Amino acid sequence: MLFSSLQIRIVFVLFAYVLFTFIPNVYANEDSDSSSTAHTKIRLPNIHPGRDAVYAHAKQLLTEALLITQADYGTFEFVVSGQESPQQRQLRNLEHDLLDVTWSVTSSDREAYFLPIRIPIMAGLFGKRVLLINSEDKRFSKDMDLASLREFRAVLGYDWPDTAIFRQAGIPVLETTYRASFKMVSERFADMFPRSVMEVVEEIENKDFIRGLVVEDNIVISYPSPIFFFVSSNNQQLATRITDGLLQLLKNHRFQQLLKEHKGYKQSLALLKGRTVISIGNPLLSIESKKAIENFLPLFTPAEILFDNFAPDSDISDDGVIEHNAAAKSSS
C-alpha cells in the first residue's frame, strides 16, 4: 500500500526532529553506567493561582517522563519553589539558574532564549479560548465573526504571547495582571477575558475570581498555541531526557491516558461543542513548533479539535516517527 504525500512528509519531518534532537547528545550519554547512578535535583515553579489542575497534570507528566528514563539517566527529586510567579518570571528564573524546568505557551522569542521540548502537553487546548464576560452583557451571539469581535476589547496579561496574537488579529487588548483581569471585565473596563478551555473550568469554581462574570455561551476563538516544557539553553541533557521520556509515554499511550484523566479535560471538550469557531493566526510560532503541532497533536487530540490536514489515525514508533495504520495508508 502506498503512502500519501502528506503521510510521507509527516514521517520525514518527525525523523528529522528526532535525529537533530538526539545526535548532539550521543557523546554526552556514552557512559550509561555513570548515568544510571546519577541523582538529580530538579527545581520546579510553584502553582500559579487558578491553574492547580493544569499544574498537577504537567507535573505528573514530567514525573512519569523522568521515571521511565531512570535506567539511562539516574534518579531524581523535585524541589518546588516556595514563591508563586507568573510565566515570564518563571522563564527568567530558568535564565538565572533558579529553576530547571517550567512549562509555558511557546513563542519564537521564548524559544530563542530557552530550550523547548517541542511536544505539546495540553492537546492544543490552550489555543481554544472561550470568553469570560460581564454577567449582564448580552451583546455576544453565534452570529459573530472576527470583524464583529474587533468591536470588543479583551483583557490579557502583560507578558502573555496571547496579547500579541490578539492584537495581530486586530482585537483591542488592555494589558494587566492575571488577578486584575477578572475585575477589569466585571467592572466593564474591558469586554472579555479570553480563557483557554483547560483553565476556565477551574476558574469558574473560584468565587473570588468569577464574581460578576459568566462564560459566554456562543463562540470560541481558535489559534495554534502549544504548551511545551522549557529548560535553560545550556541544559541539553535534561531536555534530551524529557524528550526521551515523553516519546516513550506517547508510544505506550500513557501520555494519552494521563490527558484523559485530567480533571478538566472532558469538561473542556464539552465546552467546545456547538460553538461558532472564530479562527485567528499565531504569528509567534517558529517553523519548528508549527511542525511539532502537525506531527504530535494527532497522536492524542480528538479529531474534532485538530487543525486542517492532520491525520489522527496514527501511532508512534520506537524512534519517535509517526506510523500510520492500514486504513490511513490505503487512503492513498
Side-chain angles (χ1 to χ4, degrees):
M1 286 177 277
L2 298 176
F3 286 100
S4 70
S5 60
L6 173 62
Q7 291 164 353
I8 292 172
R9 182 178 64 82
I10 289 176
V11 170
F12 176 79
V13 169
L14 251 183
F15 177 77
Y17 172 87
V18 174
L19 186 66
F20 286 105
T21 297
F22 293 107
I23 280 182
N25 304 288
V26 168
Y27 297 105
N29 295 315
E30 280 182 337
D31 188 355
S32 59
D33 291 336
S34 61
S35 295
S36 64
T37 60
H39 180 76
T40 306
K41 289 186 178 181
I42 298 175
R43 295 164 296 175
L44 302 182
N46 207 331
I47 295 176
H48 191 279
R51 293 187 180 177
D52 294 47
V54 170
Y55 181 97
H57 173 71
K59 186 178 179 183
Q60 181 66 27
L61 184 61
L62 180 62
T63 298
E64 298 207 17
L66 296 173
L67 283 172
I68 205 169
T69 55
Q70 279 192 143
D72 294 322
Y73 294 92
T75 57
F76 69 95
E77 65 178 293
F78 290 144
V79 178
V80 178
S81 171
Q83 185 177 13
E84 70 178 49
S85 55
Q87 280 184 21
Q88 197 63 30
R89 177 70 60 80
Q90 292 174 23
L91 291 166
R92 285 199 297 269
N93 286 343
L94 283 182
E95 180 182 7
H96 296 298
D97 195 31
L98 299 173
L99 287 179
D100 295 306
V101 183
T102 190
W103 45 93
S104 169
V105 168
T106 196
S107 69
S108 295
D109 284 346
R110 291 180 176 184
E111 293 175 17
Y113 287 98
F114 312 103
L115 196 56
I117 290 84
R118 289 191 180 95
I119 300 175
I121 67 172
M122 294 292 177
L125 289 168
F126 267 65
K128 307 297 180 184
R129 298 269 162 164
V130 294
L131 306 176
L132 286 176
I133 63 173
N134 188 287
S135 58
E136 298 179 358
D137 195 337
K138 308 300 181 186
R139 296 174 294 167
F140 294 84
S141 72
K142 283 185 178 292
D143 297 328
M144 293 185 70
D145 56 14
L146 181 55
S148 57
L149 194 63
R150 289 171 176 154
E151 301 298 318
F152 296 83
R153 183 163 65 168
V155 61
L156 289 164
Y158 291 116
D159 57 0
W160 298 357
D162 311 274
T163 301
I165 292 168
F166 272 69
R167 283 183 172 151
Q168 181 71 22
I171 301 170
V173 177
L174 174 66
E175 295 181 62
T176 186
T177 64
Y178 172 77
R179 291 179 184 273
S181 297
F182 299 92
K183 190 173 183 180
M184 287 291 185
V185 177
S186 66
E187 296 186 0
R188 294 186 179 272
F189 291 105
D191 302 304
M192 55 189 181
F193 184 18
R195 307 303 298 136
S196 82
V197 289
M198 289 286 273
E199 296 169 301
V200 77
V201 293
E202 183 172 354
E203 289 168 340
I204 58 179
E205 297 175 356
N206 188 317
K207 297 190 183 302
D208 292 330
F209 285 173
I210 207 68
R211 185 178 293 114
L213 304 176
V214 294
V215 178
E216 193 277 332
D217 290 330
N218 298 297
I219 65 174
V220 56
I221 303 171
S222 178
Y223 51 95
S225 185
I227 286 187
F228 295 149
F229 287 117
F230 282 86
V231 302
S232 66
S233 59
N234 62 359
N235 203 346
Q236 180 66 59
Q237 185 176 38
L238 181 57
T240 302
R241 177 176 184 172
I242 295 171
T243 303
D244 285 352
L246 292 179
L247 287 173
Q248 290 186 55
L249 294 177
L250 279 168
K251 185 176 184 294
N252 67 22
H253 298 282
R254 178 61 177 161
F255 193 119
Q256 297 88 321
Q257 180 185 356
L258 284 173
L259 189 64
K260 291 177 181 179
E261 292 173 355
H262 183 281
K263 176 183 176 182
Y265 179 70
K266 289 183 179 179
Q267 292 172 282
S268 298
L269 298 185
L271 197 56
L272 289 171
K273 289 183 179 179
R275 291 177 177 269
T276 297
V277 178
I278 299 178
S279 296
I280 61 177
N282 182 350
L284 308 183
L285 284 182
S286 65
I287 293 173
E288 295 83 359
S289 289
K290 289 178 182 177
K291 290 178 180 177
I293 292 172
E294 294 171 357
N295 291 331
F296 285 105
L297 284 190
L299 298 176
F300 51 82
T301 304
E304 64 267 23
I305 63 171
L306 287 173
F307 301 105
D308 291 343
N309 297 323
F310 277 177
D313 208 359
S314 54
D315 210 337
I316 195 162
S317 68
D318 290 336
D319 55 3
V321 176
I322 284 183
E323 295 178 330
H324 300 274
N325 69 16
K329 293 176 183 177
S330 65
S331 65
S332 60

